[in-house]
Amino acid sequence: MRNVLLLCRTDWFRLAGLPRYSLVYLLILAGFSVSTHVAPIGYIMACYVLSATVVGFDDNSAAGLFTGTLPVSRAQIVWGKYFFCTAFLLLADGVVLLVNRAAAGLLPPSVNPLPIGSLLAFQFCGAAVIIAVSLPLILLLGSIRARYGLVAIYMAVFFLLFRYASEAGRGGIPPLPSGSLSLFWLVGAAALLASALITVCLYREHEYLQ
């Protein structure tokens, strides 16, 4: 576990090494978070672009070769990536919650037609599905060869989330019971766990190429 956490921390350092890039998407995330109607736009965009950029860093530089020389197992490398992406999703949800609640008192109620609890659950579930599909593609195929699949899954989930937020905001879809929202958190977590277990098995045969 210690090696996994150290690898996860390394990815956070890499993200910190892109201050301007990170700041742009953080501002996009915060800007869209003022309204539950459009918050999924900034959330999915920031989560996908930043996590995919950091995870794909190993593939696009010599960092992947360096990681392969470290005294860590292939499984630990995979779990480190999933820990990083999961922590990123939860942190982004926290930013959405804080910004939305801070702005709620300054804006009319009409800008938040969707309950914030529903928004956070849907966003996490949708972004978790993106990560669950895109992360194995990046690790096993490389970010270049996997780019078309990444764009396809991103656009599909992005459209579904934005469509739901729009319809729910207009009253076209009845709100779900609050107790059922935990199901979306569980589905997102299950998707990440299943994806990680499958990727661990497949990544054992991965060859480091430059």
Side-chain angles (χ1 to χ4, degrees):
M1 178 58 73
R2 181 174 182 272
N3 286 341
V4 172
L5 295 178
L6 289 175
L7 289 169
C8 179
R9 186 179 67 175
T10 300
D11 283 331
W12 283 108
F13 285 149
R14 289 171 182 166
L15 184 60
L18 302 169
R20 294 181 181 177
Y21 190 78
S22 302
L23 180 60
V24 168
Y25 281 96
L26 179 61
L27 292 175
I28 291 175
L29 173 65
F32 281 103
S33 297
V34 298
S35 170
T36 59
H37 182 72
V38 296
I41 298 176
Y43 181 84
I44 297 297
M45 186 183 301
C47 288
Y48 170 76
V49 173
L50 289 181
S51 60
T53 298
V54 173
V55 173
F57 183 83
D58 287 352
D59 179 59
N60 297 323
S61 69
L65 299 176
F66 173 73
T67 303
T69 66
L70 296 176
V72 296
S73 67
R74 298 290 183 90
Q76 289 173 334
I77 293 174
V78 173
W79 284 112
K81 299 299 183 185
Y82 277 88
F83 269 55
F84 166 76
C85 289
T86 302
F88 192 95
L89 297 186
L90 295 175
L91 180 63
D93 251 341
V95 171
V96 173
L97 175 62
L98 291 176
V99 172
N100 186 268
R101 293 300 87 190
L106 305 175
L107 300 172
S110 58
V111 302
N112 289 311
L114 191 65
I116 186 64
S118 299
L119 174 69
L120 298 178
F122 294 147
Q123 286 184 159
F124 175 80
C125 184
V129 170
I130 291 178
I131 297 300
V133 176
S134 63
L135 196 49
L137 294 177
I138 295 173
L139 291 174
L140 299 173
L141 299 179
S143 57
I144 301 300
R145 284 184 290 177
R147 62 187 183 277
Y148 296 116
L150 300 180
V151 172
I153 184 63
Y154 167 72
M155 294 302 296
V157 175
F158 178 86
F159 174 78
L160 290 174
L161 279 178
F162 182 69
R163 183 69 175 176
Y164 179 86
S166 299
E167 291 296 325
R170 291 196 295 264
I173 299 177
L176 296 174
S178 58
S180 66
L181 295 180
S182 58
L183 178 63
F184 288 91
W185 291 101
L186 292 175
V187 169
L192 290 171
L193 178 59
S195 176
L197 293 174
I198 294 173
T199 307
V200 165
C201 296
L202 297 177
Y203 197 68
R204 290 196 181 103
E205 306 299 325
H206 178 71
E207 296 183 3
Y208 292 102
L209 300 175
Q210 183 67 16

